[in-house]
Amino acid sequence: MDQNVKLFRTRVKIGNWNQERYLEEEEMNDYQEKRLRGELISQRVEFLKQNILSPVSLSATKDGRLHFGDVVILVNVGGENRERSALSINADIHSVSMNPAPSIQAPCGVSAGRVQACTRTAFIITRYQSLNPEGSALHFDQSFALKTASGFAGGLYLTSDLQTFQKCAQLSRLQEVSLDVDNSFLSWWKITHFDPQERLEHEGQPVSANEKVLIIHCKTNQALAALGHQVLRTTYGKEYEVTAHTFLDSHKAEQEENHWVMCTSDP
């Protein structure tokens, strides 16, 4: 046979071409079905962001003080290695349950990110017992809970517990802070004046809104902190890790990592 004679035209399909075409069609059909159901990763991320970044109206104080039932955002004052940041729900697409209605599921992490009043950053100052009626003023060293809004945010409580080898912050390995469903002793916090020299005279006094304070975990006596040197990669960009750990300077005073402002809609 002549060696120059071509047995096949260039358009002739060889190999497992039929199986490859079948697999490609299956992948395309699967993609189209997921797209119609809104199950693509890009669609799930967009759905999460649309809901969790929706604007929220903060409470307006009549007397300049914080009250049970107020909706606030917790803003860390920032420092040398970090910008001002707000305590935020660190939810990803795996944190969202669609049944019976779309909502963030516990346990869920927190982080410190962009300062904006939205579902992700809004917390409700919540009483832990009937002795604190709704609308009454919050006082220094008085126990309270911080709860996310009901609905998509899940109505979860800011929670912490003693650090263990199995349960600790992801990067720093310090005491973990997260969101959970139970309003238990692990979810109780109290506010302390940031200046140790003025702490005693403010004890038992009403807490003013929009002023620098410490937020202390009642069980462990550790202060809420935002860590500028520990940066998390989240669905919303790079954010700071949040822990419960008291950072003291040489004068035994809490450092800026522990300084927070509970912001209302007041200027």
Side-chain angles (χ1 to χ4, degrees):
M1 181 181 291
D2 190 345
Q3 297 294 326
N4 296 322
V5 175
K6 295 182 178 180
L7 299 178
F8 300 100
R9 295 178 181 273
T10 56
R11 291 175 292 179
V12 173
K13 297 177 180 179
I14 59 177
N16 296 328
W17 61 270
N18 191 49
Q19 181 181 2
E20 291 175 359
R21 186 177 68 178
Y22 175 78
L23 291 175
E24 289 176 357
E25 290 176 352
E26 284 292 300
E27 290 177 358
M28 180 58 67
N29 291 336
D30 184 57
Y31 171 84
Q32 294 291 352
E33 290 177 1
K34 286 185 175 181
R35 186 178 64 84
L36 291 175
R37 295 195 300 263
E39 295 177 354
L40 297 177
I41 291 179
S42 59
Q43 291 176 309
R44 293 168 66 187
V45 170
E46 182 64 23
F47 177 81
L48 170 64
K49 288 185 175 181
Q50 283 182 352
N51 284 274
I52 206 166
L53 298 178
S54 58
V56 168
S57 297
L58 302 180
S59 297
T61 61
K62 298 179 181 179
D63 53 7
R65 298 171 178 172
L66 295 175
H67 302 81
F68 287 98
D70 282 351
V71 179
V72 299
I73 59 174
L74 280 65
V75 178
N76 186 269
V77 299
E80 293 182 0
N81 61 349
R82 69 196 185 287
E83 300 177 351
R84 292 171 69 250
S85 56
L87 182 68
S88 308
I89 303 172
N90 187 15
D92 57 21
I93 57 175
H94 304 293
S95 306
V96 181
S97 173
M98 302 304 293
N99 295 312
S103 63
I104 302 298
Q105 297 299 293
C108 182
V110 294
S111 57
R114 181 182 175 186
V115 179
Q116 56 180 335
C118 62
T119 300
R120 184 173 180 239
T121 59
F123 288 84
I124 304 169
I125 301 174
T126 306
R127 58 186 182 175
Y128 73 95
Q129 57 184 10
S130 58
L131 297 178
N132 309 124
E134 200 81 4
S136 61
L138 176 67
H139 295 74
F140 283 101
D141 297 305
Q142 183 178 20
S143 298
F144 67 97
L146 289 166
K147 182 182 178 182
T148 63
S150 300
F152 189 78
L156 307 177
Y157 293 90
L158 190 69
T159 302
S160 189
D161 199 359
L162 292 170
Q163 170 193 4
T164 66
F165 182 78
Q166 292 83 10
K167 188 176 180 61
C168 56
Q170 177 182 345
L171 301 179
S172 66
R173 314 303 293 177
L174 298 174
Q175 184 174 313
E176 183 183 44
V177 177
S178 61
L179 296 167
D180 213 335
V181 293
D182 296 326
N183 183 11
S184 66
F185 186 43
L186 301 181
S187 304
W188 295 358
W189 303 80
K190 62 181 179 180
I191 292 179
T192 301
H193 198 278
F194 78 96
D195 188 345
Q197 295 183 349
E198 298 187 28
R199 201 159 291 168
L200 186 60
E201 63 183 77
H202 281 83
E203 187 175 346
Q205 297 298 312
V207 181
S208 297
N210 306 300
E211 291 190 4
K212 191 161 52 176
V213 295
L214 304 178
I215 302 173
I216 308 295
H217 188 241
C218 290
K219 177 181 176 180
T220 62
N221 204 38
Q222 294 293 328
L224 191 68
L227 309 185
H229 58 286
Q230 302 291 358
V231 179
L232 299 169
R233 296 182 180 272
T234 75
T235 302
Y236 319 93
K238 293 182 179 180
E239 300 188 338
Y240 306 129
E241 185 172 67
V242 172
T243 69
H245 184 82
T246 305
F247 292 89
L248 300 175
D249 60 20
S250 57
H251 301 287
K252 303 297 182 181
E254 291 80 6
Q255 299 186 60
E256 290 180 334
E257 286 90 342
N258 299 129
H259 293 173
W260 297 83
V261 178
M262 301 183 75
C263 298
T264 63
S265 63
D266 304 307

